[in-house]
Amino acid sequence: MQDTQEYDLYELEKLRKAIDLLIHLEQSEDESSLKLDDARNSVRRRIKGLSIDLGIHKEFINEIH
């Protein structure tokens, strides 16, 4: 159980960092920036991965575009 909690906290920390980067890039980059697009995709991918790991319903996961 401890390993799972540590893994979840590690993944949540990675998600937090990805969100922080996305916020920064949204404030400083042009809307068509590839960096901004990559950051958005990273956040989506991390949210989907955590959702699956945490057993969140498929309906929620499928709504993430």
Side-chain angles (χ1 to χ4, degrees):
M1 185 70 174
Q2 184 68 16
D3 290 337
T4 302
Q5 287 177 337
E6 287 178 15
Y7 170 79
D8 291 344
L9 289 175
Y10 174 73
E11 290 299 317
L12 285 170
E13 180 63 17
K14 285 175 34 181
L15 175 59
R16 185 195 62 77
K17 288 178 181 180
I19 290 170
D20 286 347
L21 176 62
L22 176 59
I23 290 168
H24 171 74
L25 290 174
E26 285 185 335
Q27 294 171 350
S28 62
E29 293 288 325
D30 184 66
E31 187 62 31
S32 61
S33 166
L34 289 177
K35 283 188 204 176
L36 184 56
D37 192 44
D38 287 346
R40 287 177 176 148
N41 288 333
S42 176
V43 169
R44 286 184 196 106
R45 188 173 52 252
R46 292 186 188 289
I47 289 172
K48 285 182 180 182
L50 275 169
S51 297
I52 291 167
D53 291 346
L54 297 174
I56 295 175
H57 297 285
K58 272 189 169 183
E59 295 81 23
F60 173 79
I61 296 168
N62 291 335
E63 293 296 317
I64 301 170
H65 300 286

